[in-house]
Amino acid sequence: MAKIKVGVLGATGNVGQRFIQALDNHPWFEISALAASERSAGKKYGEVADWKIGTEIPEAVEDIEVVTIDPKKIDADIVFSALPADLAKTIEPAFAQEGFVVASNAASFRMEEDIPLAIPEVNPDHLGLIDVQKKNRKWDGCIITNPNCSTIMMAVTLKPLLQFGIESINVATMQAISGAGYNGIYAMSIYDNVVPYIGGEEEKIQSETLKIFGDFDGSKVKNAPFKVSASCHRVPVIDGHTEAVWATLAKNPKPEDVRDAFLKFDPGLSHLPTEPKHPIIVRDEPDRPQPRLDRDMGNGMSVSVGRIREGIRYIALGHNTIRGAAGASVLNAELLKEKGYL
Ligand SMILES: NC(=O)C1=CN([C@@H]2O[C@H](COP(=O)(O)OP(=O)(O)OC[C@H]3O[C@@H](n4cnc5c(N)ncnc54)[C@H](OP(=O)(O)O)[C@@H]3O)[C@@H](O)[C@H]2O)C=CC1
Ligand SMILES: N[C@@H](CC(=O)OP(=O)(O)O)C(=O)O
């Protein structure tokens, strides 16, 4: 079977590199175009990427000539967007207008009524918004988004808790510095320090979670009825967001019931190449999960949970630029293919 051609917008950046890693030797997808700014265009990817991942830069992309972000210069069926949000706001619709499927990491369109904010294990039915979107916007392509990196870790763990009746969620995040981008925060600001503010993050976690768990009736999503309250903090960890979650659940389950629900969670997606064997991994040690030890589980796609206590309280952890960004987008694209949108 011929592979589906894919492009990466913002291919040279932090998340762009994670896309290239996620797409290397992918059984369904093949990189056909890499795009970035004027600074990089016209040069070989290997020369301009400033590769920051601790594995070899994939041979298949080293010699690809980077192009500017222009639909006419890209031959692909789907483009993955790792663009800064202000740029994504104008560029992603231009690609959808030209018939491309756009799988976006950027925050720009996540909360639009007719654009799916999708996690395959949590709300696959929201893909139906694509048909609404195409009709509303009269474009041949479409935009699908994945959530903010802190939202997604928590949302994956909340899915098996739905059976207990979620009333409210409080979450305190400890977010890695890679979430701010490679040049996002000075060493002098974060070394030996914790910064108790990440602009816009708390609002995103609160609003995105309610959309993700909202009810899709075939034309729109009605937000979930529970409450979410977040407090976000930047900590001196390179990769891996850790979150302390307090879940108030109507059925008042015991910690063992919640542990059991996490262990039994099986979204039935094992046929998708990027889906990890265990989307949720339960750690029983009293001092896990930890970013250095657990962020790479399931090739960075598993969310690890631990310290499940009365309350219900627990810790969730996942790789912010893989499960929280590029990996999530590639998984969405795999679901799109399975559902016939590609
Ligand atoms: N799902 C999530 O929660 C996460 C989302 N993100 C989002 O992903 C996106 C990328 O983040 P990150 O990889 O850290 O950012 P980087 O700054 O590392 O990369 C930005 C990329 O965009 C390109 N770019 C920048 N300016 C322009 C321009 N004017 N025209 C064309 N291309 C341009 C850069 O190209 P060049 O190298 O040529 O300058 C580079 O490829 C952001 O929207 C970020 O918010 C990030 C982390 C997690
Ligand atoms: N704000 C996130 C990363 C990010 O870019 O998120 P968003 O795409 O929602 O702006 C972090 O700092 O870890």
Side-chain angles (χ1 to χ4, degrees):
M1 190 183 67
K3 289 192 182 181
I4 294 168
K5 290 193 229 168
V6 307
V8 181
L9 313 181
T12 47
N14 206 23
V15 175
Q17 295 187 14
R18 287 291 181 188
F19 269 120
I20 284 166
Q21 184 188 41
L23 293 164
D24 188 33
N25 287 320
H26 193 284
W28 300 353
F29 302 141
E30 181 174 48
I31 293 177
S32 59
L34 298 175
S37 74
E38 297 281 356
R39 175 190 79 82
S40 311
K43 302 185 186 117
K44 286 185 180 170
Y45 184 76
E47 286 166 17
V48 288
D50 195 12
W51 191 252
K52 299 287 191 201
I53 299 176
T55 50
E56 291 286 313
I57 181 167
E59 256 179 53
V61 296
E62 257 190 311
D63 291 334
I64 294 183
E65 185 182 313
V66 176
V67 295
T68 53
I69 300 181
D70 176 350
K72 301 208 164 36
K73 293 190 175 151
I74 291 177
D75 173 23
D77 303 297
I78 176 164
V79 289
F80 293 102
S81 168
L83 290 170
D86 54 338
L87 277 179
K89 189 121 204 140
T90 51
I91 289 174
E92 291 176 0
F95 274 79
Q97 190 84 50
E98 289 293 323
F100 289 87
V101 172
V102 181
S104 174
N105 263 285
S108 325
F109 294 100
R110 288 182 195 145
M111 297 307 294
E112 294 279 312
E113 273 195 357
D114 57 356
I115 293 190
L117 177 56
I119 307 173
E121 296 93 339
V122 178
N123 60 348
D125 60 313
H126 287 205
L127 257 51
L129 278 178
I130 291 174
D131 303 316
V132 180
Q133 181 192 136
K134 286 187 163 188
K135 208 167 143 208
N136 283 352
R137 306 198 184 222
K138 301 185 175 44
W139 54 29
D140 290 335
C142 65
I143 300 176
I144 175 172
T145 62
N146 49 273
N148 166 276
C149 41
S150 292
T151 310
I152 195 169
M153 303 312 167
M154 183 175 80
V156 169
T157 68
L158 293 183
K159 175 76 176 184
L161 302 190
L162 281 180
Q163 61 186 296
F164 303 118
I166 298 176
E167 288 179 345
S168 68
I169 300 294
N170 293 304
V171 58
T173 69
M174 289 148 271
Q175 299 185 214
I177 54 181
S178 57
Y182 202 80
N183 297 313
I185 189 162
Y186 291 111
M188 281 295 278
S189 301
I190 195 66
Y191 191 68
D192 184 32
N193 207 10
V194 169
V195 180
Y197 174 70
I198 302 174
E201 198 82 351
E202 290 158 359
E203 294 78 6
K204 282 182 203 166
I205 296 174
Q206 291 161 189
S207 57
E208 291 180 15
T209 305
L210 299 185
K211 179 172 176 184
I212 291 162
F213 285 96
D215 188 38
F216 177 54
D217 67 3
S219 61
K220 57 184 181 323
V221 171
K222 188 170 166 229
N223 273 357
F226 53 83
K227 290 205 164 55
V228 181
S229 176
S231 179
C232 296
H233 316 89
R234 186 77 69 199
V235 297
V237 163
I238 302 285
D239 287 317
H241 286 1
T242 306
E243 304 181 355
V245 182
W246 287 256
T248 305
L249 303 170
K251 292 189 181 162
N252 210 13
K254 294 188 174 58
E256 307 85 85
D257 302 328
V258 169
R259 178 180 179 276
D260 202 42
F262 285 145
L263 281 172
K264 287 195 178 129
F265 181 52
D266 177 7
L269 297 174
S270 56
H271 54 290
L272 300 184
T274 301
E275 176 69 3
K277 186 166 174 212
H278 302 291
I280 297 178
I281 292 175
V282 177
R283 305 294 322 196
D284 290 321
E285 304 88 328
D287 60 353
R288 298 284 281 275
Q290 296 178 15
R292 223 171 344 130
L293 302 180
D294 295 299
R295 63 193 168 204
D296 292 323
M297 296 292 167
N299 288 326
M301 286 298 287
S302 295
V303 179
S304 297
V305 295
R307 306 213 55 231
I308 306 163
R309 289 152 287 156
E310 292 285 348
I312 287 294
R313 293 166 289 163
Y314 62 93
I315 306 294
L317 180 147
H319 199 298
N320 54 302
T321 58
I322 302 178
R323 170 52 94 164
S329 226
V330 172
L331 191 60
N332 273 348
E334 291 168 0
L335 187 66
L336 285 178
K337 182 192 174 294
E338 188 205 41
K339 301 277 179 205
Y341 287 102
L342 269 181

